[in-house]
Amino acid sequence: MPTPNRRLAELTFSLVGPGRVGSSLAAWAIAAGARQIAVAGRDDARGESANRVPLAEFSSAGQDLLLVAVADDALESVAAALASRGQAAVVLHTSGSRTAEALAPLRRLGSAIGSLHPLKAFPTARPAPAEAHGIFFGLDGDDRAVALGTRLATAWGAECGEIAPDTRLLYHFAATLAAGGATTLLAVAADLAARLNLPPGVVGGYLELARGALDAAREATDPGQAITGPAARGDRATLFAQLAQLGGIAPEMKPWVRGLAAETLRQRERVGLAGESHRQLLAELEQE
């Protein structure tokens, strides 16, 4: 039988926000030996727990960690509500777009504040400890908070690194491109397939292509090395033929598709895989 992960033994924590992210991280902490004391959330209908406490009465004073996993737009108001009573030695939030300063009211109570943002999609709760292995956590905040965030990530078999506050918004934007942007492109492919009356199975084929492309990107030294398609090959004839037909069936797509092709060429140049034909094609795309 495998030896249980006890790297967080003796660590006590509570959770505010028992949604998909919060409940997953809490489960990983418990699996690594931590002890959960209490749970609070605005939506008391979301699950039942013997240790649930109303937010208005919540305190994590005397504990090692308070994990705050609420929606980005609720973070400041929740922090203000929590600041009316004592809280844990360290308070970490899971927001991608907010820095540690969203928790500033809690620092005034003596808590070290920080962020612990998982670069992982949570369409549902992911409580299995293996779900944490290999993912990246973006950290920032006070030294004690970053140190505890690092300890948590290490215990979970994850990677972590500090995200400078002035880069936080674009760090989050890049995350949105990687997840939401990729899904948007798949949705556009499905939309185009429907407009062309293609067989339903084509969409599944597009999804399988996307899976293979992401696998190739994961294996490459840099994702730019794994980009494929007419623009990546410098195939002007095919690219412009496709753009011409696209203008007939979905003219609203044509400008951003041209922009996407141009960005493909810039990324190929960045990783040293563009030749003169690529540069000429980029110049032509940028003229309009």
Side-chain angles (χ1 to χ4, degrees):
M1 178 179 294
T3 302
N5 177 3
R6 304 293 298 174
R7 292 184 177 180
L8 298 180
E10 308 303 325
L11 184 134
T12 57
F13 78 100
S14 286
L15 170 67
V16 172
R20 292 168 293 183
V21 176
S23 62
S24 298
L25 270 61
W28 302 345
I30 292 168
R35 181 163 60 94
Q36 181 173 283
I37 305 300
V39 177
R42 289 185 168 183
D43 182 1
D44 287 335
R46 190 185 264 177
E48 295 297 332
S49 174
N51 56 1
R52 180 178 288 276
V53 177
L55 187 62
E57 302 172 10
F58 185 85
S59 172
S60 59
Q63 298 171 33
D64 300 306
L65 169 66
L66 172 59
L67 185 63
V68 181
V70 299
D72 290 7
D73 59 2
L75 189 54
E76 283 83 358
S77 62
V78 168
L82 291 171
S84 64
R85 61 199 69 83
Q87 300 302 341
V90 173
V91 184
L92 296 173
H93 72 69
T94 61
S95 168
S97 64
R98 302 291 199 275
T99 69
E101 293 306 311
L103 299 174
L106 299 173
R107 183 190 279 137
R108 293 193 286 272
L109 296 179
S111 298
I113 60 172
S115 64
L116 178 73
H117 174 243
L119 279 178
K120 181 179 178 67
F122 290 86
T124 62
R126 296 286 193 255
E131 291 282 347
H133 294 178
I135 69 174
F136 180 87
F137 284 89
L139 309 173
D140 88 319
D142 300 331
D143 289 346
R144 280 191 297 147
V146 171
L148 183 51
T150 301
R151 181 186 172 193
L152 292 167
T154 301
W156 296 334
E159 298 184 34
C160 64
E162 291 191 59
I163 307 299
D166 61 352
T167 67
R168 190 75 179 206
L169 280 176
L170 290 184
Y171 153 80
H172 187 253
F173 172 69
T176 302
L177 286 180
T183 307
T184 295
L185 290 177
L186 283 169
V188 170
D191 179 16
L192 193 55
R195 297 192 198 196
L196 294 169
N197 293 314
L198 299 179
V202 167
V203 175
Y206 291 155
L207 289 169
E208 189 57 34
L209 276 174
R211 188 195 308 274
L214 289 174
D215 286 344
R218 182 190 296 273
E219 294 170 5
T221 303
D222 185 291
Q225 298 170 338
I227 303 174
T228 62
R233 295 193 301 270
D235 183 350
R236 181 192 182 283
T238 299
L239 175 62
F240 277 87
Q242 290 173 339
L243 286 169
Q245 287 207 5
L246 187 64
I249 190 170
E252 75 283 0
M253 294 184 187
K254 190 172 178 181
W256 68 260
V257 171
R258 284 183 68 101
L260 184 62
E263 189 57 41
T264 292
L265 291 161
R266 293 187 196 100
Q267 292 302 317
R268 296 294 274 184
E269 177 74 35
R270 180 181 64 81
V271 297
L273 293 176
E276 186 56 33
S277 63
H278 294 87
R279 297 185 189 97
Q280 291 177 357
L281 179 55
L282 177 57
E284 189 172 355
L285 288 169
E286 289 179 331
Q287 284 176 358
E288 296 186 14

